[in-house]
Each structure stands twice: as C-alpha cells, then as structure tokens.
Amino acid sequence: MTGRADGIRVLIADDHPVMRDGIAAAVESGHDMVVIGQAADGAEAIVRFRELRPDVALVDLQMPGVDGLQAIAAIGGEFPDARIIVLTSYPGDARVKRALTFGASAYLLKTATRDEILAAIRSVMNGRRVVASEVAGEIASHAWSEMLSDRELSVLRLVATGHTNKRIADILCISEDTVKARLKNIMTKLGALDRTHAVTLARNRGFFDT
C-alpha cells in the first residue's frame, strides 16, 4: 500500500496474490490514483468496499465462495453509485451482460495493458462505461441471438452434470417431452449441434455463471 492520501482511491479484489500485486503495481504507476485496499474473495470485497468506500473497485469474477458477480450485485445494491470494473480472464456475452446489469461500470480482460486499465479507471470516474474491444465484438456477434430462459437454464445445468432426460424430468417435476422441447429450443438459440455442444457453448458464453 502507498502512503499517498490523494488521487482516485482504488480497491482490488482477486483471489490470486501475485495477480493482486501486479494490478496494484499497475494502478500505483498512475500519478492520479492510489490503491487503498485488497480483497481475496467476493465476501471480503463487499466488507472492504463497505469499510473503505473506494472511488473505483477492480473485481475479478472467478473467486471462491462469494464470486465476483455476487459481490458486484451486493455492492451495487448497497451503493448504487459504486464504480466497479470487472477485470477477468473470462469473456462471454452473457457473462458481460450480467455483470453490467448487476452494476459493473466496465469490463476488461486480464490481457489489458497497464495503460488500458488506467484509462478505464479514469473513464468510469467520469461516468463512462468501458468494455474491452474483444468483449464488445463478442457481444455484437450474439446481438441477435436469444438469451436462454431460466427454465431452459435449469435443464441445461442438469445436462451439464450428466443427467438423463428422464432424471431431469423427475428432478424438475416436468415431463420428458417438456425436457426434450426445452433442449430443442436451447440448441436452436445457441446454434448447438447436440446437447454436449450446447453445454460447451453456454459455459463459454457465461450462462452458467451465478
């Protein structure tokens, strides 16, 4: 941590200590910002945000226990004006849309350069949203595709864990014909060749995120 008290106050949440240190070093290289705290998981991020009230929080999505999306939703619910930047290894249009809906101001990948991270921090401070170009391109490529409904996702999650149609029907208290109909809709929406392909596509796009 730095001793400076001025500048944009930044909180970093990531479960990897080396990554947190690297992000902190990048942020501290900015003459107009300072790292005021770090968190190793989503639960700690919520507590630290509440304690420190940072100007900007950089939050990873994949963290143990309370994940990044849950943390963003909790922080955004308690602090509607919170400025949160997702900094993650995972793209996926459904994942991005969910993060932005939950209250994130920006979505960056961990391949972002130091200058891109600093620019994003300054941009959200000025009320702008920032989405990495690679991520924006993925969103655009799926702009006209339908999102999966909660009922469809409930079926696909069970498919992903290896359940048969009959077992899925029993668990969800629906008929096998309903399971088959939902799977047909899922594969049409995702452009999947079969149920295994549908699971892969849904996972990559972030439909299985919390």
Side-chain angles (χ1 to χ4, degrees):
M1 304 297 170
T2 180
R4 285 182 293 153
D6 58 338
I8 301 169
R9 302 162 66 254
V10 180
L11 171 68
I12 298 169
D14 195 292
D15 58 324
H16 296 289
V18 174
M19 180 60 67
R20 288 200 306 274
D21 289 344
I23 297 170
V27 172
E28 293 273 330
S29 71
H31 63 84
D32 56 346
M33 53 193 73
V34 55
V35 176
I36 60 168
Q38 297 186 16
D41 57 43
E44 187 179 4
I46 296 168
V47 172
R48 297 292 280 164
F49 195 99
R50 198 176 284 141
E51 291 174 346
L52 301 172
R53 305 292 178 89
D55 297 315
V56 177
L58 295 172
V59 179
D60 188 16
L61 292 185
Q62 300 295 324
M63 293 187 288
V66 177
D67 65 24
L69 282 176
Q70 292 170 313
I72 291 167
I75 292 170
E78 189 171 346
F79 304 99
D81 295 330
R83 302 179 186 91
I84 302 172
I85 297 175
V86 171
L87 186 58
T88 181
S89 300
Y90 302 93
D93 65 303
R95 184 177 291 113
V96 178
K97 290 175 184 176
R98 191 171 289 112
L100 296 177
T101 298
F102 284 176
S105 303
Y107 198 105
L108 300 180
L109 298 180
K110 287 183 177 178
T111 52
T113 65
R114 179 193 64 183
D115 288 345
E116 287 171 337
I117 293 172
L118 298 182
I121 292 172
R122 295 178 184 123
S123 290
V124 300
M125 281 296 295
N126 288 320
R128 295 193 293 270
R129 278 195 168 185
V130 180
V131 176
S133 57
E134 312 96 300
V135 176
E138 189 169 359
I139 293 174
S141 69
H142 294 291
W144 304 109
S145 63
E146 291 185 72
M147 298 292 283
L148 299 183
S149 69
D150 289 340
R151 289 180 177 181
E152 289 165 348
L153 276 172
S154 68
V155 169
L156 195 57
R157 288 180 191 277
L158 292 171
V159 171
T161 54
H163 292 295
T164 63
N165 287 357
K166 184 178 186 309
R167 181 58 181 151
I168 293 171
D170 291 341
I171 292 172
L172 298 178
C173 299
I174 57 179
S175 69
E176 279 193 69
D177 285 342
T178 299
V179 173
K180 292 175 182 177
R182 289 183 186 175
L183 281 172
K184 182 178 179 181
N185 288 339
I186 289 166
M187 288 188 283
T188 298
K189 287 182 178 181
L190 295 178
L193 301 176
D194 54 38
R195 56 198 285 147
T196 301
H197 189 211
V199 168
T200 299
L201 291 174
R203 182 171 287 118
N204 290 343
R205 289 178 59 184
F207 280 107
F208 290 159
D209 290 7
T210 302

